[in-house]
Amino acid sequence: MATTIENISRRRFLQGGAGLTLGFCLPGIAAAAAAGPGKAGEGVVAPVTFEPNAFLRIGADNSVTVISKHLEMGQGTYTGLATMLAEELDADWAQVRVEGAAADAKRYNNLFWGAAQGTGGSTAMANSWEQMRKAGAAGRAMLVAAAAKRWQVPAGEITVERGVVRHAASKRTATFGELAEAAARETVPADVVLKSPDQFKLIGKQARRKDTHAKVNGTAQFTQDVQLPGMLVAVVAHPPRFGGKVKSFDASAARAVKGVVEVVQIPQGVAVLARDTWTAKKGRDALRVEWDDSAAFKLGSDEILARYREMAKKPGLTAKKQGDTDAALAGAAKVVSASYDFPYLAHAAMEPMNCVVQLTAAGCEVWNGEQLHTGDQYALAGLFGLKPEQVVIHMLYAGGSFGRRACKDSDYVLEAAHIVKAMQAKAPVKLVWLREDDMRAGYYRPAFHHALQAGLDAQGNVVGWTHRLVGQSILIGSPFEKMLVKDGIDGVSVEGAANLPYAIPNLTVDLHTPTDIGVPVLWWRSVGSSHTAFSTEAFLDEVAAAAGKDPLALRLELLKDHPKYAAVLRLAADKAGWGQPLKPGKAGERRGRGVAVHESFNSVVAQVAEVTVSKSGDLRVDRMVCAVDCGTAINPDNIRSQVEGGVGFALSAVLHGEITLKDGIVEQGNFDGYPPLRIGEMPRVEVHIVPSTAAPTGIGEPGVPPVAPAVANAIAAATGKRLHRLPIRSTDLAA
């Protein structure tokens, strides 16, 4: 892999040079020089900002600004990145602030993605681990060098703590701000020595989140807060069926709504523009549109799943094969079979899609909660006939995403741009999707059907395992296809199934990818693992029952080659009191405990669920005990929050989540038909973090996959009923 800091400094970037990776910038001096003799500001020395690299800026006022290349959408990215840099800088945490980086893949690329900038796949901390620490260590070294020259003492005698540079022998001190100008003239070190874990003062501690204060006092900037001179707000009428087109429309009633400024047709539908969102919505409601559905998708959910079940009767493309599964199953003393159905799911983030686009003489300017910088930058450049560098993207806060804002097709961003283009760039446009737009015209976690078989020998050992999956590909036909689709296999469709950790000698995983289903699909929090974890872990409990073995014991037996999994599983089981009887419920209530373990984004999470099921089938998830190994815990409290949030997010899908289609039309439009988890449904959650000095791995998503199977396995323990579809229905559980 290339060096972790392949990012051009601002000074080098402006000079057009590719030279030293950690260049430095003297914007104050540069500004004074640009003014020239005899011009305004002559003789005035502007304050110098110390900017040793693309990620750090220190002001004369002692402010330490960390530039985040990753989006903050609630998962704690700003805090995590700042913690890593501030740790090596030895900054005062109270003086650290964070701002979002511009779209610039030369300086801010995701190191796991090559030359692309973006946030996703739970990679923010993992890909930045060395990069941000080296950025902080370089800044610290330059501050120390500047102090050593000023005080004429050896650099090795200087210490730095909480933003103060100190020489103990001479009792001299200086703040970062006092040294900023001198440090800016120091040579950027070619290499730096990073701290060992025993030296950490911020990493692994409870550093306060850097986005909380602004979000509480209302100063945090989201897309909805953006106001530009002359800006219009657009709301779009989308076709009710995917693939539908505008045949004709009558805008007379819409234009008659007071405040409506313009109505334009775009490839995605018809946009109504006004000075505010409500007026634009009223204008859209007054539109009369005739849709051309001749090429639209018209199947319903039941028909889609029926087709999937039929496809599952035949082998698909091989995703994983070891041993001879056919022979193993043919010779097995017992064969266990089960199939599982998973519906489409909406992302339903708190903040629906929105975007502000403005065309200027210099190019295109965008404001939004930007998750896929490079993809959106190139898509907009292509639409407007610009160079990518002419597309300036301002990354604001995002009110959630769960994968939705990282759209492979740049859908809502391009929709806003198409409106600007149709308006001939007469005004900046803020596109606003209402909740119904987000739920009916968006992208979804694909529906899937899974069919599994396992063979047991006479001693109850698992000798063979087959897993067949049927579902739409997220990647085929996208810009990511070349990188992530191999031999026709979409890697995210089979993740969690093709890399099953259990020691099974004969194992086959194959995949059918239907290409004629016109429902737009996209990654959803934990992507393929959102359904593979359920099928593999729920099925393994069925196998354990057929073998007459304890579910935990069987897992530990099969994890003999994966001690990391086994350790996490034992931790969760021990903390949950596995093997100890649960307290009985009220009259007619049945109680059970279930376990599941899964790896996603290189993090292993085990969860034990405790549930209570009433005689009528009402389900209550009482407790979730979670153990997680995600490498070094940068911000332990944030890790706990992400796992707790993952439990709530997953339970929303387990208990309620289902997007259904009838004649090709999505039936849900808002939270009345697609309800999130209510606070009263949230169980008590305990999170136990495995101590580690390994590099950090993902944590934004891995808490989601084991929830559903742990709950399903607990239900089976309580009632004897095995669940083969989600979401759970009370009719499935009634005594």
Side-chain angles (χ1 to χ4, degrees):
M1 180 187 291
T3 177
T4 56
I5 305 187
E6 283 291 346
N7 290 285
I8 306 167
S9 73
R10 296 182 187 210
R11 181 182 185 220
R12 286 289 189 185
F13 179 73
L14 292 172
Q15 290 174 337
L20 192 61
T21 312
L22 286 171
F24 63 89
C25 178
L26 305 176
I29 293 175
K39 295 183 180 180
E42 183 178 10
V44 177
V45 179
V48 173
T49 299
F50 173 40
E51 191 170 2
N53 50 66
F55 303 101
L56 172 62
R57 187 168 67 245
I58 297 177
D61 60 354
N62 285 326
S63 61
V64 175
T65 302
V66 175
I67 313 300
S68 172
K69 66 180 183 179
H70 292 295
L71 173 64
E72 177 57 80
M73 44 189 149
Q75 79 281 40
T77 294
Y78 277 12
T79 302
L81 295 177
T83 300
M84 292 187 286
L85 189 148
E87 177 67 72
E88 299 290 347
L89 182 64
D90 280 313
D92 181 350
W93 186 246
Q95 294 174 334
V96 175
R97 59 182 294 272
V98 187
E99 68 178 46
D104 181 0
K106 291 181 180 178
R107 291 184 292 165
Y108 299 118
N109 62 306
N110 185 316
L111 298 177
F112 289 174
W113 295 1
Q117 181 183 356
T119 308
S122 293
T123 61
M125 297 304 108
N127 96 94
S128 306
W129 174 237
E130 284 195 4
Q131 185 178 56
M132 296 303 285
R133 292 172 65 202
K134 286 182 176 179
R140 182 188 188 279
M142 294 167 74
L143 289 162
V144 168
K149 284 184 180 178
R150 177 177 295 182
W151 299 332
Q152 293 297 294
V153 300
E157 295 180 2
I158 293 176
T159 60
V160 185
E161 185 176 7
R162 295 188 64 180
V164 177
V165 182
R166 179 177 286 104
H167 184 247
S170 63
K171 297 183 179 179
R172 280 178 287 192
T173 63
T175 64
F176 284 1
E178 290 169 339
L179 290 169
E181 182 173 352
R185 295 190 173 94
E186 290 296 319
T187 301
V188 179
D191 199 10
V192 290
V193 178
L194 300 179
K195 291 180 181 180
S196 59
D198 62 294
Q199 296 173 305
F200 290 159
K201 297 176 182 177
L202 289 173
I203 293 174
K205 309 299 187 294
Q206 303 299 339
R208 285 188 173 185
R209 282 186 64 137
K210 285 297 173 184
D211 55 335
T212 302
H213 188 69
K215 289 178 177 177
V216 170
N217 67 23
T219 59
Q221 290 292 298
F222 293 82
T223 307
Q224 214 60 20
D225 298 312
V226 175
Q227 297 294 329
L228 301 178
M231 184 183 77
L232 296 176
V233 177
V235 175
V236 175
H238 299 100
R241 290 185 173 90
F242 302 113
K245 302 290 182 183
V246 177
K247 186 174 184 179
S248 64
F249 70 96
D250 181 353
S252 55
R255 294 180 188 277
V257 174
K258 184 178 180 181
V260 169
V261 175
E262 186 60 274
V263 180
V264 296
Q265 183 175 341
I266 56 174
Q268 297 85 351
V270 181
V272 177
L273 296 104
R275 298 295 176 188
D276 59 80
T277 305
W278 181 246
T279 301
K281 178 194 179 300
K282 288 197 295 183
R284 184 183 67 175
D285 292 346
L287 271 177
R288 290 194 292 274
V289 183
E290 185 179 356
W291 301 102
D292 176 5
D293 285 340
S294 57
F297 181 71
K298 297 176 183 176
L299 292 182
S301 297
D302 291 342
E303 296 164 294
I304 294 170
L305 281 172
R307 181 179 295 186
Y308 287 4
R309 295 186 193 108
E310 192 64 30
M311 293 176 73
K313 294 177 181 178
K314 297 179 180 179
L317 294 176
T318 302
K320 175 71 177 289
K321 186 172 180 62
Q322 61 186 36
D324 190 338
T325 311
D326 290 339
L329 293 178
K334 183 182 293 186
V335 175
V336 184
S337 301
S339 61
Y340 302 88
D341 290 328
F342 303 92
Y344 289 104
L345 294 173
H347 298 79
M350 184 180 296
E351 178 188 17
M353 300 305 101
N354 47 20
C355 184
V356 176
V357 176
Q358 175 178 245
L359 271 185
T360 67
C364 173
E365 205 164 359
V366 178
W367 292 260
N368 76 327
E370 182 59 50
Q371 190 172 353
L372 208 58
H373 306 68
T374 304
D376 290 346
Q377 195 175 36
Y378 274 77
L380 289 165
L383 178 64
F384 288 126
L386 301 170
K387 296 177 181 178
E389 57 267 26
Q390 289 179 280
V391 178
V392 176
I393 298 179
H394 303 279
M395 181 173 66
L396 309 177
Y397 284 118
S401 171
F402 313 119
R404 180 63 183 90
R405 297 180 196 280
C407 185
K408 53 194 170 69
D409 304 315
S410 301
D411 70 314
Y412 69 95
V413 175
L414 282 177
E415 184 168 289
H418 274 293
I419 297 169
V420 170
K421 191 173 182 179
M423 288 276 294
Q424 299 181 332
K426 294 176 183 176
V429 169
K430 179 192 289 184
L431 171 68
V432 175
W433 278 28
L434 306 179
R435 181 60 62 191
E436 288 78 8
D437 302 313
D438 190 58
M439 204 162 282
R440 289 182 175 140
Y443 283 63
Y444 310 92
R445 196 283 304 273
F448 260 85
H449 174 74
H450 293 230
L452 293 95
Q453 280 191 313
L456 300 171
D457 65 15
Q459 290 73 44
N461 299 310
V462 184
V463 295
W465 178 287
T466 65
H467 190 166
R468 182 163 298 155
L469 302 91
V470 187
Q472 287 172 264
S473 167
I474 295 170
L475 297 172
I476 292 175
S478 80
F480 300 91
E481 181 174 357
K482 286 186 178 180
M483 181 172 59
L484 296 173
V485 177
K486 296 180 181 179
D487 300 323
I489 298 293
D490 179 338
V492 303
S493 291
V494 296
E495 62 185 355
N499 58 329
L500 200 69
Y502 299 119
I504 300 172
N506 304 287
L507 185 146
T508 300
V509 179
D510 63 40
L511 172 69
H512 286 284
T513 304
T515 57
D516 59 346
I517 305 297
V519 181
V521 293
L522 190 63
W523 22 70
W524 184 90
R525 193 175 184 182
S526 77
V527 200
S529 291
S530 68
H531 49 91
T532 59
F534 184 91
S535 61
T536 56
E537 289 295 290
F539 184 60
L540 191 60
D541 256 43
E542 296 198 41
V543 172
K549 295 183 178 181
D550 175 82
L552 174 65
L554 178 60
R555 284 173 171 81
L556 292 172
E557 175 187 319
L558 294 173
L559 289 171
K560 59 184 180 180
D561 298 327
H562 289 278
K564 181 177 177 179
Y565 279 82
V568 175
L569 188 57
R570 285 193 185 95
L571 178 60
D574 289 347
K575 296 296 184 181
W578 187 270
Q580 300 174 17
L582 287 168
K583 291 182 180 180
K586 298 176 183 179
E589 290 184 336
R590 298 157 290 171
R591 304 203 66 218
R593 186 185 281 126
V595 66
V597 62
H598 192 79
E599 178 184 2
S600 56
F601 310 100
N602 299 311
S603 293
V604 178
V605 178
Q607 294 174 337
V608 176
E610 294 177 5
V611 306
T612 301
V613 184
S614 73
K615 192 173 182 179
S616 61
D618 292 331
L619 170 66
R620 183 176 72 246
V621 182
D622 302 307
R623 181 187 182 207
M624 292 292 299
V625 179
C626 313
V628 54
D629 188 337
C630 58
T632 296
I634 299 168
N635 302 110
D637 190 55
N638 192 54
I639 291 171
R640 282 187 282 271
S641 296
Q642 283 300 290
V643 176
E644 290 165 353
V647 168
F649 184 85
L651 284 177
S652 291
V654 170
L655 301 178
H656 308 299
E658 186 175 27
I659 290 292
T660 58
L661 291 86
K662 185 176 182 180
D663 299 326
I665 298 175
V666 173
E667 295 184 288
Q668 294 73 26
N670 211 313
F671 290 132
D672 56 339
Y674 192 85
L677 194 75
R678 301 272 182 174
I679 191 66
E681 298 173 298
M682 186 70 183
R684 186 170 81 255
V685 181
E686 302 168 24
V687 181
H688 304 278
I689 303 169
V690 175
S692 176
T693 58
T697 50
I699 196 56
E701 300 171 83
V704 172
V707 173
V711 169
N713 292 337
I715 289 170
T719 67
K721 296 176 181 291
R722 299 286 175 185
L723 299 177
H724 296 108
R725 64 177 180 179
L726 290 177
I728 298 169
R729 298 162 176 84
S730 59
T731 53
D732 297 332
L733 307 181

